[in-house]
Amino acid sequence: MKKLKLLFLLLLSVAFANAQTNVTGSVTGDDGFGIPTVNVVEKGTSNGTTTDFDGNYSLNVSSNATLVFSYVGYETKEIAVNGKSTVNVTLSSGEALDEVILVGSRTAPRSNVDTALPVDVVGVKELNSTGQATFDKALQYRIPSFNTVQTPVNDATSLLDPYEIRNMGPSRTLILINGKRKNLSALLYTQTSPGRGETGADISAIPTDAIKRVEILRDGASAQYGSDAIAGVMNIILKDNVNNGSATLRSGITSEGDGEMIGISVNNGTTIGDDKGFINYTIDFSKTNLANRPGTVNAVAEADADLGFDADLGFVQEFLSRRPDAGNINGSPENAASKFLINSGLDLSENTELYFNAAYVYKKVNSFANYRTPYWRALNDDNAYLADFFPGNNPNTTNGYDGYVPTFEGLLNDYNGTVGIRTKINDWNVDLSYTTGGNTQTYKVNQSHNGNEVYTANYNPESGEFEAVELYRANSPQSFDPGGTRFTHNVGNIDISRVLSDQVSIGFGTEFRNEVFEVIEGGAASYEGGGADSFAGNTPQNSGKFNRYNFGGYFSIDYDVSDAFLLSGTIRTENYSDFGNTFVYKLSSRLKLNDQLTARASVSSGFRAPTLHQIYTQKSQYSFQPGGAIVVGGLANNVSTQAKLLGIPNLDAETSNNFTIGFGGKLENNFSFTLDYYNISVKDRIVLGAEITGTAYDANGNNIGTTPLDDILRDNNLSDISFFSNAIDTRTSGIDVVLSKRNIEIGNGDLDLNLSGNYTIQNERDGAVKDIPLVAEAGQSVVNATQEALFFTSRPETKWILGANYEINKLGVSLNNTYFGKTTFKQQGLDNNLRTEFTPKIVTDLGINYTATDKLTIALNINNILNVLPEWSFKAENAAGQDIINDTSITSTGQTEIQNQSDLITFNQRYSQMTYDGYHFSQLGTMFNLSLNYKF
């Protein structure tokens, strides 16, 4: 706290007085025409503007200021004002991107070639050229170190796909909107899928048409921005233009004839008053239909007692003759979304600006659980009512009962907004802001039932006695309200910076953040007994509101030792109400070796606070068990009675040490490159552990263990239990490469080539797992082979993007090839002597743009034009594993052992393309997208 007090004393000691001047002018290109939306920034400050449609600008600056003019595809120029009121500039085209970036520095913005840190800058044109429907999927095919996957049949995960930078999970990348922290999602990934045990911000909710550019800082930045920035920071800059509005109509379909998409978005802007400010707004509506990609189920395995359901083979074969996919529906669910966003700024005086932005997103997703076949949920005396609940056309059952498929319907509401004031007082740049945001996800389960024995006592006035009445089974509803989750935060920021001299600039500030996580109680029918079949609701005991606050401050200094050599340092301290203090630092440097080559390096410490979701989530959940069973497992939170009985400690913050070194250059003939090595060490990494089972069982499979673990499992009718813990230390290292060759003249057109890639050198556990004694003594671990694979090898070992863009007259053609490297996985139930590997694949995307008129542009994108789909195969871990692969003998199941293994991990081939727990780059194949853009 002493450090915080010193920071506040420094804030209070600032004195203010400065001479200002209003500078106007125009920015033109080589052709003499004005260039719209050029960035004009007062060097060493965040004070800036952009040119209007005719290339004109107006800006209040210090009389001795230097203006920096930058725009994509043009050279960057710095012009000293020297008291002038008019500064006109001509920018030469054909240069690589030298745009002033805002992320990565808390002192003053710098161009992306002058920064000491690796930063990717992606413009909206590049995002749109991917043809992807959402922002997160567009990044997947633009940033090699960024990965996201679509997960079928994973309950709430269908609302929000997990993403990550450098294979470190969604919770270790901080998301900013115009430099301000975006709220986390309410969703905690608890299934065996990428991102398990973590949460992140909903970046798919941001309409692409509202984005001006994206700055991705590929370096740890906790000292500058606080928690969650261990892997990097993504700063999403919103559009601020007023003259380049447009409407876009989007449509698409897969090569299978499903997954139809239709969308429309409008982006426009207007000035406020007599050019005193601007408002830019975006409205986006979209609807996507289901794209179903089930497998063909293996009847022999389905009927088998060990692999499937111990059912009559003839009965199973008859059912599969009518439903070869066993009724399963998986792939890309039906969804609809409405997105609204506004970004605005208003000049209150010559040196003071009021700014604000706000966004609201509504999303609805309709997905499905695994189909309950008539031999899985078979008719018997206890559940004969199923024939009345779900009548079908099965000739072999009562009322044609043919099973049922529960639905999972999710509703998401996400909002965020910031209001702030930027002013300049006596050479001090002051930024005061308040940010709020929230995310709510609620669910519905339909076409299901509660099949558990639950009774209530009703008084019979005739007999004068209480009688037991069954609440569910035959009296069960078929629609359920399981509840949901909600997360909100409120953030206050004070950021102050000043250029003290040509060599030294400083920045300091404070942040206060309050967070609230709420588990929303479900309806009684959704959780009583075992709850609704497929997805049990939140019980009253596990529901409630949980909150915390944190208070932090930072100090940063940049020292230009010379024009070539920059040193930068930042320190930060934070105090959390639930786990105490943390202190982190960052040091970075940049050295211009000559006019063309630059070297840079940074070293930093970092931290990530456990989220409220991880601390307080406690639930019972249905999960798939290899062999065809769906069992109920428990997740015990770290502040529960169960946690105390098991000896589970409270969660603490993760800490990290980051090291980055790299080179960049702009050579002749418009060739540029960057090469960066990174090494990230994380201590006390928070993980959601593997499911821990009982310690002893009898011949009938009954838990007869005598430990507190066994008591908890029996008392709660659970097959297993899992929990969060600071279980492991990890180390991740790799190389990022970006190469670009621009403006290659071919015929009457220009060709741009770019190659970017990420290669993971090391991504592994560092040291032993930190198991609690009770788990270790039971011969189990919270990190098993499946968990290890999820953390370290289930994402591509390397990923490369080779792109070519050719423009000639009114026609533009782009061809992008994305190489997804090898991934390996250890699915639940898989023999320990085996692993699975996804084969490296190249996905090719073609884009064609035609400018029909000055206002109308037509774009056709064919994504995955060669219809490349994931392919996996078994690999041996040792000689015993190779024997399993080579063995052609028939086992007691009537199949080879390797076929048995395949059925175990694909739910008897329901998920033959992906395996049940394995996810990769695509599930849908070729997609056709057509869009029409009309400029106002």
Side-chain angles (χ1 to χ4, degrees):
M1 292 302 292
K2 290 182 178 179
K3 298 181 182 68
L4 291 178
K5 292 177 181 178
L6 289 174
L7 287 173
F8 276 116
L9 290 174
L10 188 55
L11 286 171
L12 295 173
S13 68
V14 178
F16 307 109
N18 183 49
Q20 294 279 311
T21 184
N22 181 259
V23 179
T24 61
S26 63
V27 182
T28 57
D30 297 328
D31 54 9
F33 291 99
I35 308 174
T37 68
V38 173
N39 287 302
V40 185
V41 177
E42 182 180 357
K43 186 177 181 179
T45 76
S46 58
N47 179 37
T49 187
T50 57
T51 58
D52 63 17
F53 185 75
D54 298 315
N56 300 318
Y57 74 93
S58 176
L59 183 65
N60 293 305
V61 298
S62 302
S63 58
N64 61 349
T66 296
L67 298 181
V68 181
F69 299 84
S70 63
Y71 187 67
V72 178
Y74 289 81
E75 67 172 332
T76 294
K77 277 192 175 181
E78 295 186 5
I79 306 293
V81 174
N82 292 330
K84 297 190 293 281
S85 60
T86 302
V87 176
N88 297 320
V89 177
T90 299
L91 300 182
S92 298
S93 61
E95 297 294 325
L97 180 65
D98 281 352
E99 189 163 6
V100 173
I101 58 176
L102 302 178
V103 72
S105 174
R106 301 313 297 256
T107 56
R110 293 179 178 269
S111 74
N112 66 331
V113 295
D114 283 338
T115 180
L117 305 169
V119 179
D120 292 320
V121 181
V122 182
V124 65
K125 182 178 179 181
E126 296 172 280
L127 294 173
N128 288 332
S129 70
T130 66
Q132 298 293 326
T134 58
F135 172 53
D136 58 330
K137 297 302 183 290
L139 286 178
Q140 166 89 337
Y141 291 92
R142 277 298 171 193
I143 305 297
S145 59
F146 180 93
N147 285 292
T148 182
V149 291
Q150 199 159 26
T151 57
V153 191
N154 262 307
D155 299 331
T157 310
S158 61
L159 274 167
L160 180 61
D161 297 327
Y163 62 87
E164 56 192 349
I165 290 179
R166 292 176 169 171
N167 301 326
M168 296 203 69
S171 61
R172 293 172 191 85
T173 297
L174 176 62
I175 307 300
L176 306 176
I177 304 290
N178 280 357
K180 309 300 179 182
R181 179 182 287 262
K182 177 167 171 51
N183 57 283
L184 292 175
S185 163
L187 175 63
L188 177 72
Y189 300 109
T190 58
Q191 299 281 18
T192 307
S193 65
R196 172 180 162 90
E198 301 192 26
T199 190
D202 185 2
I203 60 174
S204 67
I206 303 169
T208 304
D209 284 351
I211 298 172
K212 180 179 181 180
R213 69 179 187 274
V214 183
E215 302 170 350
I216 299 179
L217 170 61
R218 293 179 279 107
D219 193 33
S222 296
Q224 295 151 305
Y225 298 102
S227 180
D228 305 343
I230 286 178
V233 178
M234 182 186 300
N235 188 21
I236 300 165
I237 308 298
L238 303 176
K239 286 182 179 177
D240 53 9
N241 59 286
V242 297
N243 297 306
N244 297 320
S246 67
T248 303
L249 177 65
R250 309 183 305 272
S251 63
I253 194 170
T254 74
S255 57
E256 298 292 325
D258 57 6
E260 303 94 330
M261 183 270 291
I262 187 74
I264 186 169
S265 67
V266 174
N267 173 262
N268 202 6
T270 184
T271 58
I272 300 176
D274 187 16
D275 287 334
K276 292 294 185 182
F278 73 92
I279 293 178
N280 184 278
Y281 59 88
T282 304
I283 302 172
D284 187 302
F285 303 127
S286 63
K287 172 73 164 59
T288 304
N289 288 339
L290 170 72
N292 191 21
R293 298 292 182 271
T296 300
V297 175
N298 182 345
V300 173
E302 191 84 338
D304 186 77
D306 295 324
L307 300 174
F309 301 96
D310 193 16
D312 178 77
L313 179 59
F315 188 87
V316 172
Q317 289 173 329
E318 190 283 328
F319 174 79
L320 294 179
S321 70
R322 293 179 288 107
R323 298 175 181 265
D325 55 14
N328 239 41
I329 303 173
N330 66 73
S332 177
E334 176 186 2
N335 66 83
S338 301
K339 306 175 182 180
F340 307 87
L341 190 145
I342 187 171
N343 184 37
S344 181
L346 175 64
D347 295 331
L348 300 179
S349 65
E350 290 185 354
N351 59 357
T352 302
E353 178 195 23
L354 171 70
Y355 62 90
F356 64 91
N357 60 75
Y360 173 74
V361 175
Y362 170 94
K363 186 191 300 184
K364 189 159 192 311
V365 174
N366 295 327
S367 62
F368 300 87
N370 290 301
Y371 192 99
R372 272 56 177 164
T373 64
Y375 46 83
W376 178 1
R377 296 289 190 259
L379 294 179
N380 54 48
D381 292 340
D382 290 331
N383 62 11
Y385 64 88
L386 292 178
D388 298 321
F389 277 26
F390 310 108
N393 58 358
N394 189 334
N396 303 306
T397 60
T398 304
N399 287 352
Y401 171 70
D402 210 27
Y404 57 97
V405 55
T407 69
F408 180 88
E409 301 166 24
L411 183 63
L412 179 148
N413 290 272
D414 188 279
Y415 71 90
N416 64 270
T418 295
V419 60
I421 293 177
R422 275 190 292 262
T423 187
K424 187 168 185 179
I425 311 173
N426 199 23
D427 286 338
W428 292 90
N429 302 292
V430 181
D431 187 341
L432 311 174
S433 66
Y434 166 75
T435 299
T436 187
N439 182 278
T440 302
Q441 300 185 28
T442 54
Y443 317 119
K444 293 288 185 182
V445 172
N446 289 309
Q447 192 67 9
S448 187
H449 68 107
N450 186 330
N452 299 280
E453 293 187 34
V454 180
Y455 296 88
T456 186
N458 280 2
Y459 179 73
N460 187 333
E462 294 182 1
S463 65
E465 298 179 350
F466 286 91
E467 299 176 351
V469 176
E470 189 170 40
L471 289 177
Y472 304 120
R473 295 203 294 188
N475 297 319
S476 171
Q478 291 183 254
S479 295
F480 301 88
D481 177 12
T485 53
R486 178 179 294 118
F487 177 85
T488 60
H489 77 179
N490 293 282
V491 188
N493 291 99
I494 302 174
D495 299 296
I496 298 175
S497 64
R498 179 176 178 176
V499 178
L500 298 179
S501 68
D502 290 340
Q503 292 182 293
V504 179
S505 58
I506 64 171
F508 52 90
T510 63
E511 178 178 283
F512 177 84
R513 185 166 80 252
N514 171 261
E515 298 175 330
V516 179
F517 175 64
E518 180 180 1
V519 178
I520 302 170
E521 181 182 336
S526 74
Y527 62 78
E528 286 189 335
D533 186 20
S534 80
F535 190 84
N538 297 323
T539 67
Q541 297 87 348
N542 295 337
S543 303
K545 286 186 177 181
F546 315 96
N547 65 79
R548 73 171 174 207
Y549 67 86
N550 72 287
F551 188 68
Y554 69 90
F555 178 82
S556 185
I557 183 169
D558 283 4
Y559 176 39
D560 286 282
V561 181
S562 66
D563 289 341
F565 188 35
L566 166 69
L567 291 174
S568 180
T570 303
I571 58 173
R572 185 184 194 93
T573 183
E574 292 208 20
N575 178 268
Y576 280 76
S577 61
D578 53 355
F579 70 84
N581 295 298
T582 185
F583 176 82
V584 291
Y585 70 90
K586 182 167 187 175
L587 299 172
S588 56
S589 66
R590 180 222 64 219
L591 177 62
K592 294 183 179 179
L593 303 175
N594 54 44
D595 291 341
Q596 296 178 316
L597 298 175
T598 301
R600 60 196 180 199
S602 72
V603 60
S604 64
S605 63
F607 77 101
R608 185 182 78 82
T611 65
L612 293 175
H613 318 52
Q614 293 173 324
I615 297 173
Y616 292 105
T617 296
Q618 180 153 307
K619 61 191 296 187
S620 299
Q621 61 183 18
Y622 286 86
S623 61
F624 170 73
Q625 187 178 71
I630 297 292
V631 298
V632 181
L635 195 167
N637 72 39
N638 296 69
V639 294
S640 64
T641 302
Q642 292 88 342
K644 292 180 174 59
L645 291 172
L646 292 173
I648 302 172
N650 289 341
L651 289 178
D652 201 354
E654 301 176 353
T655 59
S656 69
N657 287 289
N658 294 52
F659 172 69
T660 300
I661 186 169
F663 297 88
K666 288 192 165 188
L667 308 182
E668 296 179 355
N669 301 319
N670 299 318
F671 178 77
S672 63
F673 75 93
T674 62
L675 175 67
D676 295 282
Y677 167 81
Y678 59 90
N679 191 301
I680 308 169
S681 173
V682 180
K683 300 291 184 183
D684 297 325
R685 184 162 165 172
I686 299 168
V687 302
L688 173 55
E691 293 80 6
I692 305 300
T693 59
T695 62
Y697 293 87
D698 62 19
N700 297 319
N702 298 313
N703 184 350
I704 57 174
T706 59
T707 69
L709 168 64
D710 298 293
D711 293 336
I712 290 172
L713 293 174
R714 282 191 295 264
D715 292 345
N716 292 277
N717 194 31
L718 299 174
S719 65
D720 54 68
I721 195 166
S722 57
F723 53 87
F724 284 95
S725 62
N726 296 94
I728 56 176
D729 301 335
T730 66
R731 184 172 297 278
T732 304
S733 65
I735 295 175
D736 289 325
V737 178
V738 179
L739 307 174
S740 177
K741 173 72 172 175
R742 300 170 60 86
N743 297 321
I744 305 170
E745 293 185 6
I746 298 180
N748 295 323
D750 289 329
L751 175 68
D752 293 341
L753 297 175
N754 57 81
L755 174 66
S756 56
N758 169 261
Y759 177 74
T760 302
I761 298 173
Q762 186 181 26
N763 190 26
E764 61 191 21
R765 176 164 49 86
D766 186 8
V769 178
K770 304 167 188 176
D771 280 314
I772 61 173
L774 188 64
V775 171
E777 291 166 3
Q780 302 181 61
S781 176
V782 296
V783 178
N784 59 19
T786 298
Q787 298 291 319
E788 293 259 5
L790 274 178
F791 299 150
F792 305 124
T793 64
S794 62
R795 305 271 50 82
E797 184 177 74
T798 186
K799 179 181 164 190
W800 293 84
I801 302 172
L802 174 62
N805 300 277
Y806 183 69
E807 294 188 0
I808 179 170
N809 299 324
K810 295 183 177 182
L811 184 66
V813 180
S814 65
L815 186 68
N816 290 288
N817 295 277
T818 305
Y819 174 84
F820 293 88
K822 180 183 72 175
T823 70
T824 64
F825 202 67
K826 297 280 286 189
Q827 288 84 351
Q828 289 180 296
L830 184 65
D831 189 284
N832 290 333
N833 300 298
L834 298 172
R835 68 178 185 274
T836 56
E837 286 189 3
F838 281 93
T839 306
K841 293 284 186 176
I842 297 176
V843 175
T844 302
D845 300 327
L846 174 66
I848 301 173
N849 291 275
Y850 179 69
T851 305
T853 69
D854 291 341
K855 293 184 176 295
L856 180 64
T857 300
I858 304 171
L860 171 66
N861 288 86
I862 307 176
N863 295 332
N864 197 359
I865 192 170
L866 301 178
N867 197 33
V868 174
L869 297 174
E871 293 181 9
W872 61 271
S873 59
F874 288 108
K875 300 292 182 181
E877 298 283 15
N878 47 41
Q882 192 61 50
D883 289 342
I884 295 175
I885 294 174
N886 296 338
D887 189 1
T888 58
S889 62
I890 303 302
T891 69
S892 60
T893 64
Q895 303 182 134
T896 63
E897 180 57 32
I898 199 66
Q899 180 63 51
N900 292 342
Q901 293 296 317
S902 179
D903 289 324
L904 278 169
I905 65 173
T906 62
F907 202 168
N908 298 332
Q909 306 305 315
R910 284 172 174 80
Y911 301 89
S912 54
Q913 184 176 309
M914 306 300 297
T915 79
Y916 196 85
D917 297 316
Y919 302 96
H920 203 44
F921 58 85
S922 172
Q923 296 149 206
L924 304 179
T926 302
M927 299 186 68
F928 301 90
N929 298 285
L930 179 67
S931 67
L932 304 176
N933 178 266
Y934 182 80
K935 296 179 180 178
F936 300 136

